[in-house]
């Protein structure tokens, strides 16, 4: 998906602006990999002197948000959108999907193999994530401090 964007840049528009801040993906499991590649490229390009640890945390948070969106926020044929904003102090990740149902934190359980995504967000972004409605669905966002 990232490759398609790079392949279709026209010669007239080939400036060195780096990766865009928005990526639209199919609501399919393999899109999580494309999301990880996208966020690594974006943060690595747009944030001067960024640490590998910060990129890893942002990538993990993105993976959790996208996986939850694919699993609970899309139906077959739907798409989701990733919107990034980064500076030297933090990286904000938003994942938009077409379902208004909001995710909820589940109690920890040794018996379930799923349902820990929001607990991961709490650990990596304490008090710095949330949910809001958008015109056609919802946005789940998180900010990772640098």
């Amino acid at each position: 998906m990232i490759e398609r964007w790079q392949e279709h840049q026209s010669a007239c528009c080939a400036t060195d602006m780096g990766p865009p801040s928005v990526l639209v993906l199919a609501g399919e499991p393999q899109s999580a990999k494309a999301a990880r590649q996208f966020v690594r490229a974006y943060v690595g390009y747009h944030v001067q002197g960024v640490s590998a640890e910060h990129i890893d945390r942002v990538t993990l948070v993105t993976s959790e948000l996208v996986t939850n969106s694919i699993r609970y926020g899309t139906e077959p044929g739907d798409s989701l959108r990733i919107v990034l904003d980064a500076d030297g102090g933090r990286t904000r990740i938003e994942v938009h999907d077409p379902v208004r149902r909001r995710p909820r934190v589940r109690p920890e359980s040794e018996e379930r193999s799923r349902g820990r995504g929001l607990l991961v967000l709490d650990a990596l972004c304490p008090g710095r994530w949330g949910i809001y409605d958008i015109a056609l669905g919802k946005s789940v966002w998180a900010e990772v401090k640098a």
Side-chain angles (χ1 to χ4, degrees):
M1 296 185 210
I2 294 169
E3 294 80 16
R4 276 192 253 149
W5 167 75
Q6 291 170 338
E7 289 171 9
H8 294 293
Q9 281 185 313
S10 68
C12 72
C13 302
T15 61
D16 191 22
M17 295 175 55
S21 62
V22 178
L23 180 66
V24 176
L25 296 168
E28 304 169 346
Q30 56 269 38
S31 291
K33 179 179 179 182
R36 290 189 297 272
Q37 292 171 335
F38 169 69
V39 76
R40 282 184 176 283
Y42 181 88
V43 175
Y45 184 89
H46 289 287
V47 182
Q48 297 295 321
V50 67
S51 70
E53 180 184 345
H54 180 72
I55 291 175
D56 289 346
R57 280 187 284 148
V58 170
T59 302
L60 178 56
V61 168
T62 301
S63 188
E64 289 294 333
L65 293 175
V66 168
T67 299
N68 284 347
S69 179
I70 291 167
R71 186 172 285 152
Y72 304 112
T74 60
E75 299 287 332
D78 286 345
S79 61
L80 58 102
R81 181 173 54 192
I82 302 171
V83 180
L84 300 176
D85 182 44
D87 57 36
R90 56 99 183 120
T91 299
R92 180 182 174 99
I93 307 108
E94 294 186 23
V95 176
H96 303 179
D97 66 49
V99 174
R100 289 224 183 230
R101 184 178 61 246
R102 292 172 174 248
R104 58 187 167 80
V105 178
R106 295 181 178 183
E108 289 187 52
S109 171
E110 302 268 335
E111 298 169 11
R112 271 195 327 268
S113 63
R114 297 179 4 185
R116 294 181 182 88
L118 297 181
L119 296 173
V120 170
L121 286 183
D122 277 338
L124 295 173
C125 313
R128 299 181 68 96
W129 67 272
I131 305 152
Y132 65 91
D133 291 335
I134 58 175
L136 298 172
K138 71 175 171 304
S139 174
V140 182
W141 63 272
E143 286 188 356
V144 179
K145 285 185 180 180

